[in-house]
Amino acid sequence: MTRRIVHLSDLHFGRHEPAVADALIEDLATLAPDLVAISGDLTQRARRHEFALARTFLDRIAMPVLVVPGNHDVPLYNVGQRLFRPLERFRSYICNVRQPVFADAKLTVIGLDTARALTVSGGRVSTEQMRELAATFDTAPASSFKIVVTHHPLMPPPGAPDRAIAGRAAEAVTALEAAGVDVLLAGHFHRSFTADLKNHHPHMHRSILVVHAGTATSTRRRNEDNTYNVIEIAPPYLTCRLRAWRSGSFAEISATRFCRRAAGWVEVD
Ligand SMILES: [Fe+2]
């Protein structure tokens, strides 16, 4: 089987570059992925007009879209909204499903909401979410390629071991391992990188490939261009193509190929 997934993150409508968002829509039409996975932070401050902009963007995507919220999709200053209805706007404008699933005969992708009302930028995974995730993967064929999408990371980026990761990350990775997850897609840092989750969680036995996306469309670039990932899956191989906004258009700037061997994911030529 071959599948192509476009992985976008941290769109931050309200602090976005309209020309970059328009070019991204054109790129998607050309790439024609099986799925567009968006790992959170669709808005800058969870304002209604920002969600409306994000909705308009999503409506321009012709293929299936799976999206999870980020911490920026929870209102920061409206305390009533924040504490009692943190994801009300996200649910009404973007996605009304708490744990969205994309599944076909060969691929199962689950979105996991890590955004929480009680932390400003941190995230968390609950035991109930882990149970629900395990139950969904249980219904998939054993041979199904399994992907989880979160906003908050379950491991820090290379060279920054002290960056905060989601609460209960250690328990979460144990649950992902038990469910036979192959790949984790995430965002939040506005940095693109790939790594093996077990390198940060020594208690893990299973190799899970972590793919982080930069910010696709926002001005909050943190020394990176606007970037996104194109992930091509043809087991046992997976290729992660990084596309960056340079000189007025998106272009591929690197392609990294991995192979799942008995010992786990390894980078290959
Ligand atoms: Fe963000």
Side-chain angles (χ1 to χ4, degrees):
M1 72 102 164
T2 57
R3 295 287 184 277
R4 177 180 281 171
I5 297 174
V6 165
H7 172 208
L8 310 177
S9 200
D10 299 81
L11 305 174
H12 288 292
F13 281 96
R15 282 279 299 274
H16 67 294
E17 306 266 23
V20 178
D22 288 345
L24 184 49
I25 293 292
E26 283 177 27
D27 251 32
L28 288 173
T30 306
L31 290 164
D34 299 286
L35 174 70
V36 178
I38 307 179
S39 52
D41 277 2
L42 281 86
T43 67
Q44 177 59 18
R45 281 289 163 237
R47 297 184 177 104
R48 284 183 192 285
H49 75 275
E50 295 173 347
F51 275 121
L53 287 167
R55 180 72 259 165
T56 301
F57 176 83
L58 296 182
D59 286 345
R60 297 170 70 192
I61 300 176
M63 42 299 291
V65 175
L66 183 146
V67 52
V68 295
N71 47 294
H72 279 259
D73 300 319
V74 173
L76 182 60
Y77 302 119
N78 184 329
V79 175
Q81 277 260 332
R82 180 173 186 80
L83 293 181
F84 301 111
R85 301 181 301 281
L87 287 173
E88 183 180 67
R89 290 178 185 169
F90 181 88
R91 293 278 175 250
S92 86
Y93 281 92
I94 306 299
C95 176
N96 201 18
V97 181
R98 204 167 47 99
Q99 199 165 103
V101 179
F102 172 88
D104 64 21
K106 302 287 184 187
L107 174 69
T108 306
V109 186
I110 299 180
L112 200 59
D113 164 21
T114 54
R116 296 294 185 267
L118 295 176
T119 57
V120 171
S121 71
R124 201 165 182 79
V125 181
S126 74
T127 49
E128 189 196 343
Q129 285 178 302
M130 288 296 105
R131 270 199 299 273
E132 197 178 327
L133 179 131
T136 304
F137 277 134
D138 260 358
T139 65
S143 61
S144 179
F145 193 91
K146 298 178 182 71
I147 299 180
V148 169
V149 183
T150 66
H151 176 66
H152 290 90
L154 298 182
M155 70 178 290
D162 296 332
R163 291 294 304 270
I165 60 175
R168 293 206 190 90
E171 292 91 329
V173 301
T174 300
L176 300 190
E177 179 172 32
V181 170
D182 295 291
V183 171
L184 173 69
L185 307 181
H188 189 60
F189 293 135
H190 297 202
R191 276 188 63 183
S192 47
F193 66 91
T194 55
D196 195 323
L197 195 55
K198 78 180 167 67
N199 289 347
H200 185 73
H201 296 279
H203 66 284
M204 287 179 75
H205 300 291
R206 183 175 178 81
S207 171
I208 297 179
L209 183 66
V210 172
V211 179
H212 267 256
T215 171
T217 54
S218 89
T219 58
R220 313 180 69 213
R221 280 180 289 262
R222 318 230 167 102
N223 301 323
E224 260 198 30
D225 296 313
N226 286 116
T227 58
Y228 70 92
N229 299 317
V230 181
I231 296 162
E232 290 165 354
I233 304 159
Y237 295 101
L238 180 149
T239 304
C240 183
R241 301 180 186 279
L242 179 63
R243 292 181 66 82
W245 178 258
R246 302 244 170 113
S247 313
S249 65
F250 278 105
E252 183 174 310
I253 59 168
S254 69
T256 313
R257 193 163 185 246
F258 299 89
C259 180
R260 184 185 268 295
R261 301 234 168 95
W265 287 107
V266 289
E267 202 175 314
V268 294
D269 288 335

